[in-house]
Amino acid sequence: MISDERKLEIEFGIRRSVPRDLFIDLMQDFPAAAAQADLAIGQSHTAVENGIQLSRSRQSKAIGLVRHQLLDEVFERLLIRHGGEAVRSVQVESKPDELNLEPLHLTTAQFGNLFVGFASHRELQDAPVKNATRRALCHQNRGLSPDLFHGLEMFNDRPRFVLIMVRRDAALLGKIASMTISVLDSRIETFLFQSDIGEFLAGYGAASSVSAVSGKLLPKLRPVAGSFKQDKAKN
């Protein structure tokens, strides 16, 4: 476990770079996308005459596939709407003092000094599935926990990778059980930081009181722009 001071450092580093409204829209639109996937598959047999209704196990698998595509679509649109810069590759240290560009095959955007992506897991403490893209992105978090090759670093010493972790409700198809803002170690094994997205958003209002208690000056938050729904209404 990291210290409370380290947790606050990561927390305010994320708040400083990522627009608050992005988290608000994700909290609203991800559950809607999950419900849409459930309806799209669960009611598909009613769309045609003599339609076939899937067994629960096949329905669950089909919903999972559609849900991922819908979440990815929503995620990409919100990243663009809130000013994220699409990231196609990142630098990875292959040898000491030798960096290579590694391509990314998952939707990722950069906000300030942070790369932001999303992934799913079954249990709250489960790390996401390892793949080449996540290895390259989590490599950006080297130095946040001690290892044989890197000394401890501050969160803002270099670009870091933040994940929005989504956990479906195992009992209710089409429901999301939890959404967390998470930072993994460079080996994709342990969450160094994990906060429920609702609690993280609530913390914005507590920032001034935390600053007063700690006696430290917190990073200035970015101004809040109009939300996704407000912009949509204007169009």
Side-chain angles (χ1 to χ4, degrees), residues 10-228:
I10 294 175
E11 186 175 338
F12 291 122
I14 296 172
R15 288 197 178 121
R16 185 175 64 178
S17 295
V18 184
R20 176 174 179 252
D21 277 4
L22 172 62
F23 296 133
I24 292 174
D25 283 342
L26 285 171
M27 192 174 173
Q28 173 178 285
D29 293 351
F30 265 20
Q36 181 181 339
D38 180 41
L39 288 173
I41 300 301
Q43 302 298 321
S44 62
H45 65 287
T46 66
V48 296
E49 188 176 354
N50 298 321
I52 305 298
Q53 185 170 9
L54 293 171
S55 66
R56 182 173 176 81
S57 62
R58 289 190 175 94
Q59 182 177 331
S60 179
K61 292 177 183 177
I63 289 174
L65 293 172
V66 175
R67 179 177 58 244
H68 176 79
Q69 293 303 320
L70 282 169
L71 291 179
D72 197 43
E73 181 73 24
V74 168
F75 190 60
E76 181 176 334
R77 292 185 182 191
L78 291 182
L79 292 177
I80 294 170
R81 181 172 294 275
H82 290 285
E85 180 181 350
V87 181
R88 306 300 182 194
S89 61
V90 292
Q91 289 187 330
V92 173
E93 186 182 79
S94 56
K95 297 177 182 178
D97 300 323
E98 183 177 320
L99 297 173
N100 294 326
L101 276 179
E102 294 292 337
L104 303 181
H105 303 290
L106 298 174
T107 303
T108 309
Q110 185 168 5
F111 292 90
N113 211 35
L114 295 182
F115 302 114
V116 181
F118 92 94
S120 301
H121 56 180
R122 290 192 176 187
E123 300 297 335
L124 198 58
Q125 297 303 321
D126 289 348
V129 174
K130 295 181 181 179
N131 55 40
T133 292
R134 292 201 184 108
R135 286 191 182 92
L137 285 165
C138 286
H139 182 73
Q140 311 308 309
N141 293 340
R142 62 194 184 277
L144 292 181
S145 56
D147 60 48
L148 295 176
F149 305 101
H150 304 95
L152 282 177
E153 300 176 355
M154 301 292 286
F155 186 72
N156 293 323
D157 281 351
R158 66 171 81 241
R160 302 297 186 184
F161 178 48
V162 175
L163 265 174
I164 309 300
M165 294 299 305
V166 180
R167 182 169 63 97
R168 72 175 181 85
D169 192 318
L172 298 172
L173 296 179
K175 298 293 184 181
I176 289 178
S178 67
M179 290 175 58
T180 58
I181 300 169
S182 306
V183 175
L184 279 160
D185 70 343
S186 59
R187 295 181 294 275
I188 324 181
E189 294 176 352
T190 304
F191 289 111
L192 302 176
F193 174 86
Q194 192 175 38
S195 175
D196 175 81
I197 192 168
E199 294 177 2
F200 188 88
L201 284 168
Y204 279 94
S208 58
S209 61
V210 172
S211 179
V213 171
S214 65
K216 297 179 181 179
L217 181 65
L218 303 182
K220 184 178 180 181
L221 300 180
R222 292 177 57 172
V224 177
S227 73
F228 171 44

